Amino acid sequence: MKWESVPLGPLQTNCYILYNDQGEAIIFDPGGDAEVLQKKIDNLGLRPAAILLTHAHFDHIGAVETVRRSYDIDVYLHENERDWLTDPEKNGASLFLGDHRISAGEADHHIRQEGSLTIGSFAFYILETPGHSPGSVSFYHEESQTVFSGDVLFSGGIGRTDLPGGSQEQLIKVIHDKILELPEDTYVACGHGPFTVIQREMDSNPFLNGF
């Protein structure tokens, strides 16, 4: 298994492509610039099987509809943000982009609890990790030793918690109770900026001191 990041959209959000030797792929958080993402997918000769959303803020969903239709694949999102894809007021596009509205059709599958998720040959464990947003989830992929965490944990930082439904206390708790409980050599595929490793964040992240 391999993965690559492709910064997309107005905030250059990291979209991740996880793929295997057979050319099957999972797309995480296609935030915009659909043509850039599709070119990358096609150049790699991949066949996407699904779109997994860590959450539904506007900068993570801008290319959802185009990619879904182009490859005829399903979208997965947590139940707590069920109506965010269709509503620019809730996904933040209205607040940050004014008249430039970003939306998509409703997700095909709504995640309701933590647990295993299998799509084709890909096996994930879903962690509910709210705090940045009420429906934030992280997808742990043991085979590649990677957690796709969206805007939960960054290299040297954590996700912002001043947006509707955010809570710093809740975010710190889920990072401590769930993300940091993963193996220390786990890669953290962050929603923005460079990837990191759990051990590195345990040792040096100023928001996690004392953990």
Side-chain angles (χ1 to χ4, degrees):
M1 292 281 183
K2 302 175 183 177
W3 54 263
E4 297 193 27
S5 64
V6 187
L8 300 172
L11 301 186
Q12 291 292 278
T13 301
N14 287 330
C15 169
Y16 291 95
I17 307 169
L18 174 69
Y19 59 98
N20 60 23
D21 291 339
Q22 290 71 49
E24 301 166 316
I26 301 291
I27 310 301
F28 297 88
D29 294 351
D33 301 324
E35 68 286 350
V36 175
L37 176 57
Q38 289 176 293
K39 183 176 181 180
K40 182 73 170 180
I41 293 169
D42 295 344
N43 284 346
L44 289 171
L46 303 179
R47 302 182 307 279
I51 295 171
L52 303 187
L53 297 176
T54 61
H55 63 296
H57 279 149
F58 72 95
D59 58 313
H60 290 250
I61 67 169
V64 163
E65 204 56 47
T66 300
V67 174
R68 167 162 49 186
R69 292 177 180 177
S70 295
Y71 299 101
D72 191 23
I73 55 178
D74 287 354
V75 175
Y76 292 73
L77 174 69
H78 195 278
E79 169 74 18
N80 287 350
E81 296 176 13
R82 169 187 285 268
D83 55 353
W84 286 32
L85 283 176
T86 60
D87 190 343
E89 297 292 335
K90 292 186 176 180
N91 67 44
S94 297
L95 176 63
F96 288 94
L97 301 179
D99 292 336
H100 181 56
R101 301 300 180 97
I102 291 178
S103 63
E106 190 170 309
D108 303 284
H109 304 276
H110 293 105
I111 297 166
R112 293 179 171 84
Q113 61 186 5
E114 295 189 340
S116 299
L117 172 65
T118 300
I119 302 173
S121 61
F122 299 90
F124 302 96
Y125 191 85
I126 300 171
L127 298 168
E128 293 181 299
T129 50
H132 173 66
S133 72
S136 286
V137 294
S138 297
F139 298 94
Y140 175 54
H141 185 248
E142 185 176 10
E143 187 173 349
S144 65
Q145 298 178 278
T146 305
V147 59
F148 298 89
S149 64
D151 291 355
V152 172
L153 178 63
F154 298 129
S155 177
I158 61 172
R160 63 186 295 176
T161 56
D162 59 339
L163 300 174
S167 166
Q168 183 166 334
E169 180 180 359
Q170 185 179 41
L171 182 60
I172 292 289
K173 179 172 174 53
V174 300
I175 291 173
H176 172 59
D177 291 348
K178 298 180 181 183
I179 301 297
L180 299 188
E181 288 299 309
L182 296 173
E184 292 184 2
D185 59 353
T186 300
Y187 294 103
V188 182
C190 313
H192 301 271
F195 73 88
T196 186
V197 179
I198 285 179
Q199 183 176 22
R200 184 188 308 160
E201 299 311 306
M202 293 175 69
D203 292 342
S204 62
N205 191 311
F207 292 91
L208 307 181
N209 284 344
F211 286 179

